[in-house]
Amino acid sequence: MATNIVWHPSLSRKERSEFRKQKGFTIWFTGLSASGKSTVATALEQHLLHLGLAAYRLDGDNVRFGLNKDLGFSDKDRVENIRRIGEVAKLFADSATIAITSFISPFKADRQIARDLHTAVPQGSGDEAIPFIEVFADLPLEVAEQRDPKGLYKKARAGEIPHFTGISSPYEAPEKPEIVVKTHEQSVEECVATIVQWLEAQGLITIPK
C-alpha cells in the first residue's frame, strides 16, 4: 500500500448532487453467465438516460478490453477484477452519476468488499455512505446452460475453459440482495420496471410525472 499520501478534499457529494440534480449510487448486477444481467443492465441504463438521469454501465467483458486486460480468470484475478470495478463504480457514484455494473462477481466476499468501499467515508470529508444496490439476476444453472449464447458452457463442460463459474468454479448466490429479478420468468421490461420502482420507492430517483 502506498505511503506518504493524504486525502485531498474536493466538492462534497451533496454539492455535486445539488449541481447535477440527482443522487449518485451504484447498482451492482450479479448472476451466472447467460443470466441476462448485462441485457437488463443495458436496458436500465437506457431507461434512466431517457428519464434525464446521468447513468453509465460498466460491463464485465468490456472492462477486460482496457482497465482489466492484464487479468485472467483465476480466483486471485477475479478478486482483483471486482476490487477495481468497485473502486471505479464508487468514483462514478461519487460524481453524482448512477453507476451500473454487470459482472458475474461469483464470490460473496468480493461483493462485500465492493459494498464496503461504498460505505467507507474518508475522515473529514463530511460525506455519507454511497448507496450500493445489489441486483441478483436469479436464473437456474440448467436454464443458463440452455441459453448459452456464447457457447461457453459447452466449452466448459468439455474442459476447454478452466475456472468457469457454475461448472468448475462456484457461484455464491447473494443471501440478502436489495433486488431480485427472475430473468427466466420476467421480460427485460418487467425487470427494469422492478428496479426502477424500487429506486423510486427508496427516494434515490424521481420520475417526472
Side-chain angles (χ1 to χ4, degrees):
M1 182 175 179
T3 58
N4 300 317
I5 57 175
V6 178
W7 181 263
H8 194 284
S10 182
L11 289 176
S12 69
R13 193 174 306 123
K14 180 180 179 181
E15 289 175 300
R16 294 192 186 96
S17 294
E18 290 174 349
F19 288 143
R20 303 195 73 177
K21 295 181 173 56
Q22 73 169 70
K23 295 178 180 179
F25 51 90
T26 291
I27 302 173
W28 190 283
F29 281 85
T30 178
L32 291 168
S33 178
S35 64
K37 60 188 177 298
S38 290
T39 300
V40 176
T42 299
L44 175 62
E45 179 189 31
Q46 292 174 338
H47 186 80
L48 294 174
L49 290 171
H50 289 160
L51 291 175
L53 298 168
Y56 191 85
R57 182 178 65 91
L58 297 162
D59 179 78
D61 281 354
N62 292 355
V63 169
R64 285 182 176 273
F65 281 99
L67 177 66
N68 291 346
K69 66 181 179 180
D70 60 321
L71 300 177
F73 291 92
S74 67
D75 288 353
K76 181 180 178 180
D77 281 357
R78 285 174 182 266
V79 170
E80 177 60 13
N81 183 55
I82 297 306
R83 188 197 68 80
R84 291 184 193 179
I85 296 308
E87 293 282 7
V88 173
K90 179 182 177 180
L91 291 174
F92 271 96
D94 188 57
S95 73
T97 298
I98 301 170
I100 304 171
T101 78
S102 51
F103 291 77
I104 295 174
S105 46
F107 304 125
K108 294 178 184 177
D110 299 340
R111 297 194 300 268
Q112 186 62 48
I113 289 173
R115 183 183 292 272
D116 291 344
L117 285 171
H118 287 68
T119 57
V121 179
Q123 187 174 4
S125 69
D127 284 328
E128 298 179 349
I130 299 173
F132 182 93
I133 300 97
E134 188 174 48
V135 180
F136 178 29
D138 188 6
L139 183 81
L141 175 61
E142 57 270 23
V143 178
E145 286 201 68
Q146 290 170 7
R147 289 181 175 181
D148 202 13
K150 302 175 184 177
L152 299 179
Y153 283 100
K154 184 177 180 180
K155 290 181 179 179
R157 288 292 186 187
E160 298 175 21
I161 304 178
H163 309 294
F164 190 80
T165 301
I167 305 299
S168 53
S169 185
Y171 177 75
E172 300 173 356
E175 295 178 356
K176 295 181 180 180
E178 280 73 15
I179 304 171
V180 176
V181 289
K182 301 279 189 177
T183 54
H184 59 303
E185 297 175 355
Q186 298 172 273
S187 68
V188 173
E189 292 75 19
E190 289 171 336
C191 290
V192 170
T194 296
I195 298 166
V196 169
Q197 289 167 10
W198 189 93
L199 295 174
E200 185 177 27
Q202 297 298 314
L204 293 173
I205 64 172
T206 301
I207 299 178
K209 305 300 182 181

